[in-house]
Amino acid sequence: MTTQEHSVPMVSWPERGETRSARWFSESGVAPPRRVIVADDRMNADRAYRYACEGTAMLWRGDFNNARALLQAIARRVDAKPDGPKPNRMQRKAAPARAVVADGPFDAPAAGAGNTEGLPKAGGAPKEAFHLFRMAQAQRARILGMLLIPFDAGHAIPLRRAPDLHKACSEARGPCDSPYVSSLRELLGAVGAHQWRRKGVEVAALDDRIHPHYGVFAPVRGEYVDLVDSAPLAVTDLAFDIGTGTGVLAAVLARRGVKRIIATDSDPRALDCARDNLARLGYRNKVEVRQADMFPDGRASLIVCNPPWLPGKPATPLERAVYDPESRMLRAFIAGLAHHLAPGGEGWLVLSDLAEHLHLRSREELTGWFAAAGLAVIRKHDILPRHPKAFDAADPLAPARRAEVTSLWRLAAAPVQTA
Ligand SMILES: C[S@@+](CC[C@H](N)C(=O)[O-])C[C@H]1O[C@@H](n2cnc3c(N)ncnc32)[C@H](O)[C@@H]1O
């Protein structure tokens, strides 16, 4: 976040008879709001909610804690609407208006991603329900993103009772040498991610904690880690972990005795995060973390990959580990696996079938991709979800969530002889 960057987005607002402006920052890639008014402690929740719904942003000049309370009050109004946030004109064209569904993330979000509590309920075919769920999520984020906070250089917040949040902001946004404006919602995302990073996530398979950085996929759903911890491990010389994220799967393999592991990721935040975690766990000498698009050069006896589970366009950079346009990473892994497996080696693909229950991808498509890449399935190891969403009867997507199975597909390059 330095001022040398070209074409820095700016946000402007009228204040004390003049037009003022500052840099605009949005991790989610939201454009600067076009209409901004100055607001303070006299703003009541109903009026703020109306402004936010109309697309008028409010730059806060009052007490910081009151801004937090106001955001919660706006959220309650969004969530209380029986049909949920109303789609805008473009969205009304794209989908029928009758159903807006679901109230939670489908998967572990990246640290810092906004919360999706309280979205409205309805029925509908799984695919339609999924798309409407995502539209409602986007609409909720848009409304809640209308309360803005000013920052001075060094991420200082020039508001009454504002805490010192420069550490959380620096972790999420990097150093800052000039004032800027950002949404309170994104700020709270950075604060949540900072706390998560400090405390870490318990990982039973490691008997230790993993500390996710801002924007990196967090292993809060332990089932898939347990699959990698328990699948039969025949050869332990060299493994690749493709898309390592926090480094959790590389750490599990190292703990299981794999002598050398090359862990790749394309995201610089994930690379830093994996390096930190692997060093903390004492695996710095066993695991080499490399920036790469999918596979490193060479071949390995074991290649592990946990790609995003749902095909779809990420709405924000923080969703990239959950939504993958046209299953790009999944298909790249399948297509490249045979070229990178050592003779007799195995590929371990970790994948939930939630996309199948939502009619976003079929089992035939998946197995067709295996066949086209010359891969045979040695065995599939399954595990049921344990996370609370799977047991939430009030969730309109409960049938899909309840039916979800996460699998570790053991794949080989050569056809397997069956007895
Ligand atoms: C679902 S996350 C899994 C992270 C970690 N392996 C785990 O199981 O917790 C997918 C990871 O793949 C990374 N990724 C996405 N596309 C990639 C690519 N083309 N090459 C390497 N890594 C990629 C993402 O940055 C992300 O960290």
Side-chain angles (χ1 to χ4, degrees), residues 217 224 243-245 248-249 265-267 270 292-294 306-308 321 329:
F217 184 85
Y224 78 89
T244 194
V248 62
L249 300 183
D265 209 290
S266 52
D267 175 2
D293 182 5
M294 300 302 293
N306 173 25
M329 185 178 181

Side-chain angles (χ1 to χ4, degrees), residues 122-141:
K127 194 169 180 173
E128 184 193 33
F130 170 73
H131 289 304
L132 291 169
F133 160 75
R134 295 206 68 204
M135 259 163 52
Q137 268 190 320
Q139 188 75 345
R140 187 179 195 273

